[in-house]
Amino acid sequence: MQIQDLPYPDPGVPDTRSGPRFLWWLGRNQLGGQLKASLWGLLHFVAVSGLPFCVGLAVQAVVDRSGTHLALTGALMAVCGTGIALGDTMLHRAVVTNWITAAARVQQLLARKTARLGSALTRRVAAGEVVAVSTGDVEKIGWFVEVVSRFVAALLTVVIVCVGLLIYQPALGVVVAVGVPVMGLAVLPLLPPATRRADQQREKAGRATELASDTVAGLRVLRGIGGEGLFLDRYRRASQEVRRAAVRSARMWALISAIQVLLPGLLTIAVIWHGVDLVRAGTITVGELVTAYSTVMLLTYPLHQFQETAMAYSFSRPSAKRAARVLSLERTTDAAASRTTPAPAGDLYDPATGLLAPAGRLTAVVCGDPDAAGLLAERLGGHPAEEEPSVSVLLGGVPLDELPLDSARTAVLVQDKDPVLLSGSLRELLDVPSSGSVSAAEALDAAQCGDVLDALAQGSLDARDPMDVRITERGRSLSGGQRQRLALARSLITDPEVLVLDEPTSAVDSHTEARVADGLRSLRSGRTTVVFTSSPLLLDRADRVALVHEGEVVAVGTHRELVHEDSRYRAVVTRETDEETAGDVPGELPSPHRANNVGRTARASRTNTVDKLEELEEIEETA
C-alpha cells in the first residue's frame, strides 16, 4: 500500500483484545512495507558500519605506504557513501509510508466504528477520549509501526558487525561482541518503570483532554451560571498534573539516554586500552585498532534505534489500548445479517414503549423528559442504549436489528436536537445521499430557509449564489434557529422512508415554526414522519399524537382531543403548574377560558424565551 492508494478499500477487522495485539495486527497487515523498510535500513546501517573498516584499511595503507591499497580503500569508501545516501533516502521514504498508512488504517477503522455506533458512541465513551484516540493516539501508533522496521535493520546490523569483527580481529572482536549485548540489555530493567510513567502521563493527558472537550461543549451553559472560573481552575489543576507526569517520564528517559551514552564510552575505553596493549605486543596492527575503535563509535548509531523502539512502544501501548477499547465497541444488538436486504416499508412500532407511527402519517410524540425523548428517538433509529430493553423496533414487522446496517440507515433517519453542520459551502452541506425525489430548493423552502439564504448572500463578498457561501465549522456563523432549519432541510433532502425529528423547531419563533410545520407536513405527505416536540403549533398539524409517560405510551389521539381529555398531556404542552393541574376535576373538561389563557401564556413565554436566546447568541457571536 502506497500513500497515493489511500484510503484502504477495506481496512480489515482489527484484533482488539488488547493494545499489544492491536499493534501486532497492524504490523502483520503491513508486512510488505515493513520488509521493504527493513532491507533499506539494513543497507543504510551496514554502509555506515562499513566506514570504520574503510578507515582502518586506509590507515594501514598509509602505514604500509601502499598507494594501490589506498586507492582501493577510497573506492570502497565511495561505495559505502553511495549505500549510506541511497539507503537513508529510501529508508526514510519507506518508514514514513508505513507510518502514514498505519495511521490512515486506524483512522478508517475509527470512522467506520463511529458510523456504525452513531450517537451511542459518546454515551459509552467520553467525547474527549474519542478526540484523543483519533488525533494524538493515532500518531503514536503510527510511530511504533514505522520504528519496528528500523529496529529490525539495526539488530541485524549489530549482529553482522560483531561477527565481522570476530572474523577480522578476534582479539578485539570478543570484547566488542560481549560489550554490545551488555549495552543493549543494560536498560531493560529501566523500561518497565519508564513505561508505567508514560502510561500515567497518557492517562492524565487523556483526562485533561476530556475535561477541555466537555468544558468547550458546555461553555454557553457555564457562562450562563458563571461557572467558567470553576472549570478553568479544574483544567489548570489537570494540566499541572500532566506536566508533573511528563517531567517524571522525561527523567526516566533521560536516565536511559545517559546510560546509553555512558556504556558505549566505557566500551570504547576498554577497546582502546586493550587494543594499545595488543599493538605494543605486535598482535594487531594500528589499522586494526583504528577499525575496532571506529566500529564501536559508530555502533552507537544503530543502538540508538533500540532506545527509540522502547520509547515508541511505551508511548504507543496505552494509545493502542485506548484505540482497541473504542474499536471493540459493538451495537447493543449487533446481529445485523450480512445478506443484502431491501429496506422494508410499513408502520414503525416500538414494542418497549408501545409507540406506533402509522406508515405515511405525521406522528407527534410528547415526552415530559427531554433526555428520555432523545433516547427514544435514537432507539427508533436502531441505536438503543445499553440499559434499554433488548427487543428491537419493528419497521413493517421487520426488526431493525436484523437488517444490515446500510438498509437500516436508508430506512430510518434520525435528526437529534443538536444537529451538526460541517464546514463547507451550503451546496456541499446539502450534497447528501438521497432518493432524488426532493430537490434542495423544495427542502429549503419547506424548512423556511429563505431568510437564511438572504443572510448568507449579504454576508459574503465573493459568492453571488447563496449556495456557494461557505459555512464555518459547526455553523458557528449562524444563529441557533438558522442552524436548526438548515439541518432540517438537509434531512428533508434525504427523503428517507421514516424521518425521526427530535425538537426540530425549538430555536425558532412561533411564526416561523408555524410555516415550518406546514412545509414539513406538505413535503412529507405520504411518508412516515415522527416528531418529538411539545410545541402546540407542530402538535396541531400532526395526524396522530402520542403521550409517553415513564417509558410507556399512555394516551393517543389528536392534539385538541388530548388537551381537553388528559391532564398529563396538558401539563407538558401548556406548561401548567402543579396547582393548575390539580385544580382540574377528573373526568371533567377544563375551563376553555383558562385553557386558552394557559395556551397563550405558554406560547408567549416560549416566544420570549426563543427571542432571548437569539439575542444572547448574537451578542456572544459579536463578542
Side-chain angles (χ1 to χ4, degrees), residues 43-55 57 72-88 298:
L43 172 62
H44 173 64
F45 291 136
V46 169
V48 170
S49 302
L51 285 178
F53 290 94
C54 297
V55 173
L57 292 175
L72 291 175
T73 302
L76 186 59
M77 293 184 69
V79 172
C80 289
T82 303
I84 292 173
L86 178 62
D88 189 33
L298 288 181

Side-chain angles (χ1 to χ4, degrees), residues 206-328:
R207 286 203 293 266
T209 303
E210 294 173 13
L211 179 60
S213 177
D214 294 341
T215 302
V216 171
L219 186 58
R220 182 167 298 178
V221 177
L222 292 176
R223 287 176 177 173
I225 62 176
E228 308 100 303
L230 174 63
F231 275 80
L232 181 59
D233 290 339
R234 289 183 181 178
Y235 183 74
R236 281 200 184 102
R237 290 194 296 271
S239 64
Q240 288 302 311
E241 290 180 3
V242 175
R243 182 188 62 79
R244 286 191 289 268
V247 170
R248 292 184 69 249
S249 179
R251 286 174 179 169
M252 184 59 69
W253 287 112
L255 177 60
I256 293 175
S257 298
I259 291 175
Q260 291 202 329
V261 172
L262 175 64
L263 293 183
L266 295 177
L267 179 61
T268 302
I269 293 173
V271 168
I272 294 177
W273 191 293
H274 183 55
V276 169
D277 290 340
L278 293 177
V279 170
R280 287 177 177 176
T283 305
I284 65 173
T285 64
V286 175
E288 291 172 339
L289 175 60
V290 172
T291 297
Y293 163 74
S294 303
T295 300
V296 173
M297 293 298 295
L298 288 181
L299 270 180
T300 58
Y301 176 51
L303 284 174
H304 177 72
Q305 307 301 320
F306 296 177
Q307 176 191 352
E308 185 178 357
T309 302
M311 184 180 295
Y313 178 73
S314 68
F315 278 91
S316 66
R317 190 172 64 87
S319 296
K321 181 180 178 181
R322 290 151 65 105
R325 177 172 176 263
V326 175
L327 294 175
S328 65

